[in-house]
């Protein structure tokens, strides 16, 4: 390997590392949302076994995924009020 290939490899390595650093926040947010949605689905299933008519669909999963435990509480309040 000559010096230009080494310098090119170093530049691409730095660019790749910078890209990973820049994208780390959106990836963390996405993983947190997916984890919240999974916990929300489990909580909704538990609430269904207790007799509350909360269905699992895209909106309830999105609601619990974005808001977490307060989203589940909000769905529970809406279920009781409506």
């Amino acid at each position: 390997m000559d010096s230009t290939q080494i310098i090119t490899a170093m530049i691409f390595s730095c660019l790749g590392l910078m890209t990973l650093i820049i994208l780390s926040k959106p990836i963390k947010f996405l993983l947190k949302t997916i984890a919240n949605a999974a916990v929300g689905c489990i909580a909704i299933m538990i609430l269904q076994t207790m007799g509350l008519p909360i269905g699992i669909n895209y909106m309830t999963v999105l609601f619990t995924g974005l808001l977490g435990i307060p989203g589940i509480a909000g769905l529970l309040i809406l279920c009781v009020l409506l």
Side-chain angles (χ1 to χ4, degrees):
M1 283 179 81
D2 61 340
S3 61
T4 57
Q5 289 178 334
I6 293 173
I7 292 173
T8 304
M10 289 173 55
I11 289 172
F12 278 117
S13 297
C14 288
L15 287 175
L17 186 60
M18 287 186 342
T19 303
L20 288 175
I21 290 171
I22 289 171
L23 293 177
S24 67
K25 280 220 181 221
I27 290 173
K28 282 183 186 178
F29 177 73
L30 181 65
L31 291 175
K32 183 180 176 187
T33 303
I34 291 171
N36 281 345
V39 170
C41 285
I42 292 169
I44 290 172
M45 282 190 242
I46 292 171
L47 290 173
Q48 283 179 347
T49 59
M50 295 170 61
L52 294 171
I54 300 175
I56 298 177
N57 54 32
Y58 294 115
M59 292 307 292
T60 57
V61 171
L62 180 68
F63 199 68
T64 59
L66 291 176
L67 297 178
I69 300 296
I72 296 168
L75 286 173
L76 185 59
I77 290 171
L78 282 174
C79 175
V80 171
L81 291 177
L82 296 177

